[in-house]
Amino acid sequence: MKRVFITGASSGLGAALAARYAAQGAVLGLAARRPDMLQSLVAGLPYPERHRIFPLDVTDHAALRTAAADFIHAFGGVDVVIANAGISQGTRTEFPEDLPVFERIVATNVTATVATFTPFLPAMKRQAAAGSHDCRLVGIASVSGIRGLPGAGGYCASKAAVISYCESLRVELRASGIKVVTIAPGYIDTPMTQVNAYPMPFLMPALRFADKAVSTIAAGTSYRVIPWQMGVVAKLLRAMPNWLYDAAFARAPHKARKS
């Protein structure tokens, strides 16, 4: 029986991952800011009495530590921790009022990823030392972290940081037996993308994404872009010389700024 802890679990990718793991018989710790949505999610899962909800903001690191301790105590350990919580907002450096938005994005998408993993690591290390091969730390990044997009500096920078941070952590933990998995979603049909007023190629349903993500996590794959078509696009964009990339994307649509 897998023991899985997911942040940002009340909707979108987090809720889809929760549904897929619950269908496999896992016990879940589900953290998010909206308790009513967490309760509604759990009520619709198999064996709802098994799972625990943790209403919290991931920027509250003390609350994350308390939730981790409670989960480990309740289930005797943890197998998979998914740092999925994230926010997206357009930011422009020319507007001073966007600086707090940028800071909030980094605090939620990057610093909270570290704060999510930290309290689980001692238990995972004990389990791995005892012979477990199932321990996974999972960072949810984005293809937006591959190259910077105009009007999305905060979001792109945060997801690039998640990719680099998880790579560093993967190397740090290589000898421990704990696998670090980085998943970079492309366009997935969630409330976060439904507000985008521009074309989203290869848009994928959230539950289909969750199927592929769960299999990727089980395999311990170090890095994967989902869907694969966006992985091809990401490699092509990364290979483009700066002059060509700049010319191609200078007039790209911008994410909406906070009004």
Side-chain angles (χ1 to χ4, degrees), residues 64-152:
L64 277 171
R65 289 193 298 271
T66 299
D70 182 85
F71 184 85
I72 291 166
H73 176 75
F75 300 114
V78 62
D79 300 303
V80 179
V81 178
I82 305 176
N84 166 73
I87 57 175
S88 176
Q89 193 74 57
T91 52
R92 297 281 294 274
T93 302
E94 65 191 281
F95 298 112
E97 62 269 27
D98 282 8
L99 181 57
V101 179
F102 196 111
E103 291 174 329
R104 176 72 176 174
I105 291 170
V106 171
T108 303
N109 296 4
V110 185
T111 309
T113 295
V114 184
T116 298
F117 292 161
T118 298
F120 286 104
L121 261 173
M124 279 195 163
K125 284 190 169 185
R126 288 193 297 270
Q127 291 167 218
S132 173
H133 301 290
D134 296 327
C135 295
R136 305 283 188 270
L137 296 172
V138 184
I140 302 298
S142 169
V143 292
S144 296
I146 305 300
R147 296 211 70 156
L149 296 169

Side-chain angles (χ1 to χ4, degrees), residues 136 179 181 213-222:
R136 305 283 188 270
K179 299 283 189 181
V181 177
V214 168
S215 64
T216 298
I217 294 164
T221 303
S222 60

